[in-house]
Amino acid sequence: MPDHLAAERLTVHPVNAPLVGRAAVPGSKSITNRVLPLAALAKGVSTITGALKSDDTHHMATALRAMGVTVEEPDSTSFRVTGNGRLAAPSTSLFLGNAGTATRFLTALAASVDGTVVIDGDQHMRKRPIAPLVDALRSIGIDAEASTGCPPVTVRGRGMLPGGRIAIDGGLSSQYVSALLMAAPLADAPVDIVLTGDQIGARGYIDLTLAAMAAFGASAEQISEGHWRVSPTGYAPGDHHVEPDASAATYLWAAEALTGGAIDIGTAPGAFTQPDAKAHAVIARFPNMPAEIDGSQMQDAVPTLAVLAAYNETPVRFVGIGNLRVKECDRTAALAQGLNRIRSGLATEEGDDLIVHADPSLRGATVAAGIDSFADHRIAMSFALAGLVTQGITILDPGCVAKTFPAYWDVLEGLGVTLS
């Protein structure tokens, strides 16, 4: 069997029948990369099942090991984590690739370490902003710096996060807020985390964070819409089962819609707690998707929806997606470029909005579209959907899907899709 992850390019060939069958969706990246560090901060043994094993979670697990935590992997979807209630200063800098969740979360948690922690990433991560989180830590006396406003970040911890009030601008990413919430139970007194504005990217991920914290014994009270008070409880060990990844599920929901198929992923759309599951209701309206879609609360699903919108009956404008500019790549620009390679003029950027000028005649057409994935897993996986119904869609750097869905190409082949 060819190793699609090692290929330089991969062409997805149109299917001649609806995609029907069962498909395994990996565990949630968002939840796995929350419960791993929380289990590490507990004093005792925790078992995490249903977890995602991918580049992102590998970076998190490797970093935790470097900080004195025992992280074992009994099987392909489980972690056994043994912590002593604190993280230790690593002997070298932590390299986290392009794992945004690991980078932001560990930056805040490093404030509780007695010693210096340097957090770095690859060339893409070094372009992703982290200044709002660093500024928030500095505001409570933590010695933290990121000279470019992006990684690398240096945090000189004092062994205990101070209690008190932390103001944070969550407009660029909810991960900044989640990072502080996760660190707050390690403080020496209650911590009030307060948003400096009304805007926050993907608020639903805050709910995921609070649920994960509660699962490991932490207590957080929401005082108001943008104000949380966290008690200095520390964390307790426990077992946790991770639900499937809703962002990954969107590709299969869209594949169903495009091909008129029926793909059983083993979890009903309404059973997900992750924000991207909201995309199912939009996908279900294809080929009559709304004229305007607010992607602010389902950001990682926007690439899926944008490619699907190319085959809609009418144009679709995506709004509330300014944060897509600072993801693994500038996803709005990457989507516009890829769509316009399928057909010139298919997409237009207006400020931070993306307009997809739907063209149902692309179904069954032959094009010559080499899609630059910009090393972004979501760009690669979403544009593969176009190949299900349009001939000539080639994905460059298909191996980037290993970030969150290493088996993606195998799953498509299992459903009857031909790749070359």
Side-chain angles (χ1 to χ4, degrees):
M1 179 179 293
D3 183 359
H4 298 312
L5 296 179
E8 290 185 5
R9 61 187 62 227
L10 198 61
T11 297
V12 182
H13 296 279
V15 297
N16 53 20
L19 293 184
V20 176
R22 292 183 59 87
V25 175
S28 165
K29 180 199 77 169
S30 299
I31 296 176
T32 301
N33 260 355
R34 281 165 170 76
V35 297
L36 268 175
L38 299 187
L41 289 163
K43 194 169 186 177
V45 180
S46 301
T47 300
I48 301 166
T49 55
L52 171 67
K53 299 289 183 79
S54 71
D55 287 353
D56 269 24
T57 58
H58 168 75
H59 285 306
M60 175 66 89
T62 300
L64 293 173
R65 293 183 182 110
M67 300 176 85
V69 181
T70 299
V71 182
E72 303 168 284
E73 302 189 35
D75 56 48
S76 62
T77 60
S78 299
F79 290 100
R80 184 179 297 114
V81 182
T82 305
N84 60 12
R86 291 285 168 182
L87 299 177
S91 58
T92 61
S93 63
L94 302 176
F95 177 77
L96 298 172
N98 195 15
T101 50
T103 298
R104 278 96 179 234
F105 295 169
L106 289 174
T107 292
L109 296 178
S112 69
V113 170
D114 185 7
T116 299
V117 182
V118 178
I119 296 169
D120 202 357
D122 63 17
Q123 59 180 332
H124 305 288
M125 194 67 230
R126 286 186 167 193
K127 297 177 183 177
R128 301 180 67 180
I130 200 165
L133 179 57
V134 172
D135 290 345
L137 292 173
R138 289 169 62 91
S139 74
I140 56 168
I142 300 298
D143 185 355
E145 60 180 318
S147 59
T148 66
C150 302
V153 185
T154 301
V155 181
R156 299 175 183 90
R158 299 178 299 185
M160 180 71 73
L161 190 76
R165 183 181 185 276
I166 307 177
I168 178 71
D169 179 358
L172 270 180
S173 176
S174 65
Q175 290 177 4
Y176 304 147
V177 184
S178 286
L180 293 172
L181 285 167
M182 292 166 66
L186 308 175
D188 58 5
V191 176
D192 284 273
I193 298 169
V194 183
L195 296 182
T196 58
D198 296 332
Q199 297 299 313
I200 183 170
R203 182 176 286 271
Y205 286 102
I206 301 298
D207 296 333
L208 283 188
T209 300
L210 294 172
M213 290 168 59
F216 287 90
S219 175
E221 177 187 3
Q222 183 156 355
I223 305 300
S224 66
E225 188 72 7
H227 180 185
W228 297 266
R229 180 168 296 150
V230 184
S231 301
T233 57
Y235 288 103
D239 296 339
H240 193 89
H241 183 73
V242 177
E243 71 182 47
D245 194 282
S247 307
T250 65
Y251 309 118
L252 299 174
W253 292 335
E256 274 188 325
L258 271 173
T259 69
I263 303 171
D264 179 6
I265 63 171
T267 302
F272 287 91
T273 63
Q274 300 154 72
D276 279 358
K278 295 181 177 70
H280 183 269
V282 180
I283 292 170
R285 293 179 60 177
F286 179 83
N288 297 295
M289 298 165 72
E292 182 173 289
I293 294 174
D294 183 349
S296 62
Q297 302 305 313
M298 50 179 177
Q299 295 171 12
D300 285 346
V302 169
T304 306
L305 297 174
V307 173
L308 187 62
Y311 300 88
N312 199 50
E313 292 290 340
T314 52
V316 178
R317 177 187 285 267
F318 291 87
V319 301
I321 59 172
N323 291 7
L324 266 64
R325 300 281 190 197
V326 293
K327 295 288 189 176
E328 281 80 342
C329 70
D330 181 339
R331 284 183 177 160
T332 302
L335 286 165
Q337 182 189 105
L339 290 168
N340 287 330
R341 284 184 175 170
I342 294 174
R343 197 213 74 191
S344 179
L346 185 56
T348 305
E349 296 176 69
E350 286 191 2
D352 283 333
D353 291 359
L354 176 69
I355 303 169
V356 180
H357 305 284
D359 184 356
S361 70
L362 287 170
R363 183 184 294 271
T366 298
V367 301
I371 305 297
D372 189 340
S373 65
F374 296 93
D376 189 325
H377 55 137
R378 304 221 180 275
I379 297 300
M381 289 188 280
S382 60
F383 274 101
L385 299 169
L388 299 177
V389 293
T390 299
Q391 183 70 50
I393 305 295
T394 298
I395 309 299
L396 308 183
D397 188 18
C400 66
V401 304
K403 184 173 174 26
T404 55
F405 199 163
Y408 182 67
W409 305 116
D410 297 332
V411 167
L412 289 184
E413 284 190 320
L415 290 168
V417 179
T418 299
L419 307 170
S420 65

